[in-house]
């Protein structure tokens, strides 16, 4: 949970066992992936850019550590 915010960088003890630590993805990598998905979503829905469909439907992946779920 804390991976999405900068708690891991500034207050790692607050996110221990909840997004920060050796058992979790590095927050820097997580932020790059989050940014890529957000940008892909915006490109698809604002500009009708279909080149990002693979990322949004899960057929393309940015990391083996990511499981994409959608409804």
């Amino acid at each position: 949970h804390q991976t999405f915010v900068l708690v891991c960088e500034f207050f790692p003890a607050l996110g221990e066992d909840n997004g920060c630590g050796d058992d979790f993805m590095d927050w820097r990598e997580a932020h790059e992936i989050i940014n890529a998905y957000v940008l892909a979503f915006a490109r698809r829905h604002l500009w009708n850019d279909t080149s990002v469909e693979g990322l949004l439907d899960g057929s393309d992946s940015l990391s083996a550590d990511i499981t994409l779920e959608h409804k």
Side-chain angles (χ1 to χ4, degrees):
H1 184 113
Q2 300 299 337
T3 305
F4 294 100
V5 294
L6 294 177
V7 168
C8 297
E9 173 71 2
F10 298 108
F11 306 105
L14 291 175
E16 189 174 331
D17 297 325
N18 192 17
C20 304
D22 294 336
D23 293 335
F24 298 93
M25 176 183 287
D26 180 75
W27 69 269
R28 291 166 196 87
E29 180 183 2
H31 281 212
E32 288 180 21
I33 292 169
I34 292 164
N35 289 344
Y37 278 103
V38 169
L39 181 58
F41 184 86
R43 287 174 57 177
R44 177 65 184 102
H45 294 285
L46 295 178
W47 297 300
N48 203 28
D49 181 352
T50 58
S51 71
V52 296
E53 286 293 327
L55 190 59
L56 296 176
D57 69 16
S59 60
D60 293 336
S61 179
L62 298 174
S63 170
D65 295 328
I66 299 296
T67 302
L68 179 66
E69 295 181 19
H70 56 87
K71 294 182 180 185

